[in-house]
Amino acid sequence: MNYYRSVFISDVHLGTKMSQSTALLEFIKTFECERLYLVGDIIDGWAMSKTFYWPQEHNDVIQKLLRMARKGVQVYYLPGNHDEFLRTFGDHVFGSVALVDHIHHRGLDGKDYVVMHGDQFDAVINNMKWLAHIGSWAYDVSIWFNILIARIRNWLKLPYWSLSAWAKYKVKQAVNFIGDFESNLSKFARTRGANGIICGHIHHPEDMDRSHGMSGTKMRQAAADGDIEEIHKHLGPSFSRQEAQQHMDKFRAGISDGSIPLKRK
């Protein structure tokens, strides 16, 4: 049994056939924690408004989460666009479950993070909701192909891979180029005096440092390789080459003493 101070879970989409509820239940069995953040789209109200689908496994997830709350785990539920119906309650506390739009979390490193689903800064969700619903329908169609591919990969004893998540991420990449989703999230965090933001919504895990526009992984690799040109390019024209060198030195020092992990190719 692993022990974590805080655990973050998002985009479970209970109420849909693509929800990985069984895998989530298995994951929950592996840890204990003080705080559990449910970072939106835990329940898919969009899908359930069209077709009701709620197998026993989805009920088991809700019961397990409520049981954790009863045992003293502080549970925060931060609604997303698919469970936006919960936002009508506003910020509210139900026993050990706090329903909030966003909340601050202080990490073990002492840094302050804003936690929220993130759809609030999605240009499509906010300005072209009809397009978001079309995208949701197309995503549902891809689920059927995803189920077939999953069965084939399972038969071939290959690891699970989600076609639907991959397709959504590719579409989101194009949308975010226009809406500057990640940049807006970063700006919001700064207006709240936070060092960063923890969110869901785009179904793709990424450690991004917006101070230089590169993912944490790419920055670490460029620093390890001594690639000052790559770092300077991503910092942008407002940064001098000397400042780029300082960024690289900082990361290389962290890699050397082990405080900044590096995954070798």
Side-chain angles (χ1 to χ4, degrees):
M1 179 71 71
N2 297 311
Y3 178 80
Y4 302 109
R5 182 166 166 265
S6 303
V7 171
F8 303 81
I9 298 173
S10 75
D11 299 283
V12 181
H13 291 273
L14 296 175
T16 69
K17 292 185 178 181
M18 66 91 168
S19 176
Q20 297 294 308
S21 54
T22 302
L24 176 58
L25 284 169
E26 290 302 314
F27 170 62
I28 291 175
K29 292 176 184 177
T30 66
F31 71 86
E32 293 180 351
C33 63
E34 294 178 23
R35 285 179 289 275
L36 176 64
Y37 295 88
L38 303 174
V39 196
D41 286 1
I42 304 301
I43 300 172
D44 197 322
W46 288 13
M48 293 178 66
S49 66
K50 295 178 289 186
T51 304
F52 185 79
Y53 176 78
W54 194 266
Q56 182 59 44
E57 290 82 5
H58 294 195
N59 206 46
D60 292 342
V61 170
I62 297 298
Q63 290 178 349
K64 184 64 176 176
L65 296 176
L66 291 176
R67 191 175 299 119
M68 291 175 70
R70 287 197 299 271
K71 288 184 176 181
V73 176
Q74 180 59 63
V75 179
Y76 299 98
Y77 196 123
L78 303 98
N81 49 302
H82 284 265
D83 46 16
E84 60 187 351
F85 62 91
L86 292 172
R87 287 176 173 156
T88 59
F89 293 100
D91 289 358
H92 200 83
V93 178
F94 300 91
S96 295
V97 180
L99 184 67
V100 292
D101 180 69
H102 62 274
I103 194 170
H104 284 254
H105 168 78
R106 187 165 295 277
L108 283 173
D109 57 4
K111 292 183 179 180
D112 185 55
Y113 300 90
V114 176
V115 185
M116 64 193 310
H117 182 63
D119 64 295
Q120 298 92 327
F121 297 94
D122 187 320
V124 172
I125 294 294
N126 290 312
N127 301 312
M128 294 177 286
K129 202 162 189 175
W130 59 272
L131 182 58
H133 280 278
I134 291 176
S136 180
W137 170 82
Y139 185 60
D140 290 341
V141 171
S142 73
I143 294 302
W144 295 103
F145 291 100
N146 195 75
I147 292 172
L148 176 61
I149 291 173
R151 287 175 179 172
I152 294 173
R153 291 180 66 87
N154 184 58
W155 180 70
L156 295 173
K157 301 194 183 306
L158 294 173
Y160 178 80
W161 177 79
S162 174
L163 166 68
S164 50
W166 174 85
K168 180 172 183 177
Y169 176 60
K170 290 300 180 182
V171 171
K172 283 291 184 181
Q173 280 185 309
V175 169
N176 291 341
F177 180 76
I178 299 171
D180 210 5
F181 173 73
E182 291 170 343
S183 178
N184 288 334
L185 282 170
S186 180
K187 290 176 182 175
F188 178 78
R190 287 197 295 270
T191 64
R192 293 296 186 273
N195 300 102
I197 195 158
I198 300 170
C199 68
H201 189 53
I202 60 175
H203 294 205
H204 182 79
E206 181 68 81
D207 173 17
M208 178 68 72
D209 186 342
R210 291 296 301 191
S211 67
H212 45 64
M214 298 174 72
S215 71
T217 302
K218 289 181 179 178
M219 179 58 119
R220 290 191 289 268
Q221 191 62 59
D225 295 341
D227 193 344
I228 185 65
E229 297 300 332
E230 183 71 9
I231 293 175
H232 194 205
K233 179 179 73 175
H234 284 279
L235 284 171
S238 61
F239 287 80
S240 68
R241 188 179 177 85
Q242 181 180 2
E243 289 172 316
Q245 182 68 50
Q246 291 171 351
H247 271 268
M248 187 176 76
D249 291 344
K250 179 185 71 173
F251 270 78
R252 296 191 77 173
I255 292 167
S256 297
D257 65 23
S259 62
I260 296 179
L262 176 68
K263 292 184 178 179
R264 292 291 181 185
K265 295 179 180 178

